[in-house]
Amino acid sequence: MNITPSKELSASDRQWAAISVLSELSGIDRIDFGVRNVNTNSFQNFLNTEISGPAIDEALAACRQRNTRDSDVYFRPSRGIAASIVMLDDLHLSAALRLASGKAHMLIETSPCNHQLWIKTDRALTEEERKNVQSALIALHGGDIGSKSGEHFGRIPGFKNRKPKYNLPWVNLLQYNTEGAVQDTAFTITAAAELETSRPLGACALVPSSLPVPSRTGISVSPESHKEFKFACESLRKNVARDIIVYSIAQRALERGKRRTESA
């Protein structure tokens, strides 16, 4: 069941709620904090912080002080520890909700129209494995391709987003679910590989030229539309999932210069 935290929670309570959910989803008891000065882009890290120990109170106090002045605050599972979780960055709310539906997850609003989604996986993953699963999920569902390192930081609810282009919005914990289904990592990687081999590229040699082309009297069909229609027909014949076909065509449109989302 999805849980929506009360809007009456204090900033400190929101921070602790997110830390607790991250720990429960990922199966870890240590996290890293990252503090980035938005003026100098310099980082200060509080690494390998035990969630139940006294050091976390000191780290959070330092993070709060820096956030009120000039810095953004982030967290992640401590490096070197296998964790049953992956994070996708820079998702629109509709895409994040579709991907999170029915799954154990934590959904965070990082700025207006931008979201980060933490998803529980079916087993604990090394950083390299998390990178592979993140890459597959981004290929299938979108997100920031620059945030797939396997050890990427995410923003912590209860702190302000101090990027200069925003007007100091709060980072918000929108919802979480600790009892939903887990992400099937093997299936995710296989589906992304299928997408990669099926997406339209170049002259779209995946399909025969004999396939019918949609046309209507007086309406011209662009070469790109012609390629994408033939790609969709052939993919359906190969039993490629329809949502993968749609996403592939949408990605091709983005590659031709359509609008991309701004980063969180």
Side-chain angles (χ1 to χ4, degrees):
M1 182 179 73
N2 293 339
I3 297 175
T4 302
S6 169
K7 294 182 179 180
E8 303 303 317
L9 287 179
S10 68
S12 175
D13 286 341
R14 282 178 281 163
Q15 295 158 13
W16 273 110
I19 291 168
S20 298
V21 173
L22 179 67
S23 174
E24 185 167 355
L25 292 176
S26 61
I28 52 96
D29 61 0
R30 294 176 180 273
I31 64 174
D32 295 339
F33 293 102
V35 180
R36 183 182 68 87
N37 186 302
V38 296
N39 299 315
T40 64
N41 206 34
S42 59
F43 247 93
Q44 177 184 3
N45 293 330
F46 300 88
L47 303 178
N48 204 31
T49 306
E50 187 176 359
I51 293 173
S52 60
I56 194 167
D57 292 317
E58 298 175 9
L60 279 171
C63 290
R64 290 165 188 149
Q65 185 180 51
R66 292 286 301 277
N67 186 239
T68 60
R69 297 203 315 261
D70 54 17
S71 299
D72 284 323
V73 182
Y74 308 86
F75 66 169
R76 68 183 178 194
S78 287
R79 298 198 65 179
I81 300 175
S84 56
I85 201 165
V86 293
M87 188 269 284
L88 294 184
D89 189 14
D90 203 12
L91 292 171
H92 281 299
L93 181 59
S94 58
L97 289 173
R98 282 196 302 271
L99 181 53
S101 179
K103 295 189 179 76
H105 70 278
M106 176 167 58
L107 177 57
I108 296 171
E109 180 187 53
T110 59
S111 61
C113 298
N114 286 310
H115 302 81
Q116 290 175 342
L117 178 64
W118 296 84
I119 307 172
K120 183 177 179 63
T121 56
D122 55 2
R123 60 186 180 87
L125 305 172
T126 65
E127 283 185 9
E128 186 63 25
E129 289 173 324
R130 292 202 294 273
K131 177 181 178 180
N132 293 337
V133 175
Q134 284 174 311
S135 298
L137 285 170
I138 289 169
L140 293 168
H141 301 283
D144 182 7
I145 61 174
S147 301
K148 59 179 183 179
S149 61
E151 43 82 26
H152 202 77
F153 279 103
R155 289 185 181 271
I156 310 179
F159 289 96
K160 292 288 188 76
N161 183 332
R162 298 196 67 92
K163 271 193 174 180
K165 64 183 177 181
Y166 300 126
N167 188 27
L168 294 178
W170 285 103
V171 178
N172 294 310
L173 176 55
L174 295 188
Q175 68 177 39
Y176 63 91
N177 183 336
T178 59
E179 299 177 352
V182 295
Q183 187 72 34
D184 186 326
T185 54
F187 174 82
T188 301
I189 291 174
T190 300
E194 185 176 7
L195 168 63
E196 184 62 30
T197 59
S198 301
R199 72 166 59 210
L201 293 172
C204 198
L206 291 171
V207 295
S209 59
S210 58
L211 280 173
V213 179
S215 62
R216 294 167 61 185
T217 302
I219 299 178
S220 62
V221 178
S222 71
E224 285 295 338
S225 295
H226 186 171
K227 294 174 188 176
E228 289 166 356
F229 174 72
K230 292 198 294 183
F231 161 76
C233 291
E234 182 66 13
S235 296
L236 287 170
R237 289 178 181 178
K238 293 179 179 180
N239 295 318
V240 177
R242 294 192 179 199
D243 59 343
I244 293 178
I245 297 171
V246 171
Y247 180 76
S248 179
I249 293 174
Q251 283 295 100
R252 179 63 177 165
L254 286 175
E255 291 164 6
R256 296 202 307 271
K258 301 294 184 182
R259 182 179 63 86
R260 293 181 181 272
T261 60
E262 292 188 5
S263 63

